[in-house]
């Protein structure tokens, strides 16, 4: 199992600003995943963060908008840049394999005005 | 594009009622199906990971079945309690796939 500390838990931000979300895992993991859930939508994978290499982004998500850092095997950050109201979502980090269960952080509820 | 559908979108039941919801996924190239429970202000919590056609898994009052040939899974809750109130998510991964594709979830509210 893994315990993930994610912060902030919520924030209200102004249009055009950026927010960095942090996740700290209590054990070393190779891959960390960043998800977004827009209101009424599915959890959607943004990118996979690998330690020592650039993150792998899913279709529709780009590094300039969602830069990710992965400085070591227990920590990652996701930045939501130049925010607009469409970025209002719950953002989640997670660890685990696809054939094993995922463990999630508690989420960041972001509202952009 | 893989499509995972969950129904109903939301459900309100009385304490003690039994309930079930459905997750539909592509029936070809199946690898695994996950179920998660997501309570407000908490982390999503894994309930089941199912890989074999005909699988039935149980955890307390919650159970799940899997039909990979027709592409659906049912989640059952027996004798619902207020603490079962949560969003229930299913997620599918295809063979040779490298990521989980989630449904939009079923929101369950249990009234005491």
């Amino acid at each position: 199992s893994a315990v993930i500390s994610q912060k902030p838990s919520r924030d209200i931000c102004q249009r055009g600003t950026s927010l960095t979300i942090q996740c700290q895992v209590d054990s070393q993991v190779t891959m960390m995943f960043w998800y977004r859930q827009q209101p009424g939508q599915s959890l959607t994978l943004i990118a996979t963060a690998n330690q020592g290499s650039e993150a792998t982004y899913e279709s529709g998500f780009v590094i300039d908008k969602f830069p990710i850092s992965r400085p070591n095997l227990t920590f990652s950050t996701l930045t939501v840049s130049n925010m607009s109201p469409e970025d209002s979502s719950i953002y989640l980090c997670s660890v685990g394999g696809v054939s094993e269960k995922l463990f999630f952080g508690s989420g960041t509820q972001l509202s952009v005005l | 594009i893989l499509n995972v559908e969950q129904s109903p979108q939301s459900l309100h039941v009385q304490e003690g009622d039994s309930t079930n919801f459905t997750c539909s996924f592509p029936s070809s190239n199946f690898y695994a199906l996950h179920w998660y429970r997501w309570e407000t202000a908490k982390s999503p919590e894994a309930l089941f990971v199912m890989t074999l056609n005909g699988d039935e898994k149980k955890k307390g009052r919650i159970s799940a079945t899997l039909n990979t040939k027709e592409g659906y899974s049912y989640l059952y809750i027996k004798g619902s309690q207020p603490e079962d109130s949560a969003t229930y998510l299913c997620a599918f991964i295809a063979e040779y796939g490298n990521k989980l594709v989630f449904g939009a979830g079923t929101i369950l509210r249990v009234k005491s």
Side-chain angles (χ1 to χ4, degrees):
Chain A
S1 68
V3 176
I4 305 174
S5 172
Q6 181 174 345
K7 56 183 181 183
S9 58
R10 58 176 60 238
D11 208 341
I12 300 173
C13 300
Q14 295 297 319
R15 183 194 298 259
T17 62
S18 298
L19 175 73
T20 296
I21 303 167
Q22 300 179 4
C23 277
Q24 178 77 50
V25 190
D26 69 344
S27 57
Q28 293 185 335
V29 294
T30 307
M31 292 191 292
M32 292 180 71
F33 306 98
W34 286 97
Y35 286 89
R36 174 177 79 177
Q37 186 183 44
Q38 293 177 300
Q41 305 294 312
S42 311
L43 264 179
T44 301
L45 183 64
I46 298 171
T48 302
N50 306 299
Q51 196 272 330
S53 64
E54 275 201 12
T56 305
Y57 288 83
E58 297 299 311
S59 175
F61 298 96
V62 295
I63 189 171
D64 289 347
K65 176 67 177 175
F66 297 101
I68 287 172
S69 79
R70 185 81 203 275
N72 57 55
L73 289 172
T74 64
F75 187 78
S76 180
T77 68
L78 170 79
T79 299
V80 186
S81 303
N82 188 24
M83 288 183 284
S84 66
E86 293 70 38
D87 295 318
S88 297
S89 299
I90 298 174
Y91 292 83
L92 286 163
C93 60
S94 74
V95 301
V98 290
S99 59
E100 310 157 353
K101 55 187 176 182
L102 290 178
F103 297 92
F104 289 89
S106 53
T108 297
Q109 173 80 62
L110 172 62
S111 298
V112 183
L113 304 178
Chain B
I1 296 178
L2 297 175
N3 212 24
V4 178
E5 303 280 348
Q6 289 189 248
S7 62
Q9 187 175 13
S10 67
L11 201 52
H12 290 76
V13 301
Q14 289 292 129
E15 182 176 357
D17 288 350
S18 293
T19 187
N20 66 86
F21 357 110
T22 305
C23 174
S24 301
F25 51 85
S27 57
S28 57
N29 300 319
F30 174 87
Y31 184 74
L33 193 283
H34 295 213
W35 281 100
Y36 292 85
R37 174 171 58 201
W38 192 1
E39 295 178 68
T40 304
K42 294 187 177 179
S43 310
E45 172 200 0
L47 292 172
F48 307 113
V49 177
M50 308 176 81
T51 56
L52 297 175
N53 184 44
D55 247 357
E56 289 189 32
K57 297 214 172 182
K58 190 173 179 182
K59 183 177 181 178
R61 293 178 292 98
I62 304 176
S63 60
T65 61
L66 179 67
N67 183 326
T68 62
K69 304 233 180 283
E70 295 182 42
Y72 65 84
S73 176
Y74 293 139
L75 189 80
Y76 300 92
I77 302 179
K78 185 177 177 183
S80 302
Q81 301 295 308
E83 57 266 29
D84 295 327
S85 296
T87 298
Y88 291 82
L89 300 169
C90 69
F92 164 84
I93 180 165
E95 196 174 18
Y96 309 120
N98 61 356
K99 65 174 183 179
L100 285 166
V101 178
F102 281 84
T106 293
I107 300 170
L108 174 66
R109 293 290 174 257
V110 183
K111 283 180 67 174
S112 56

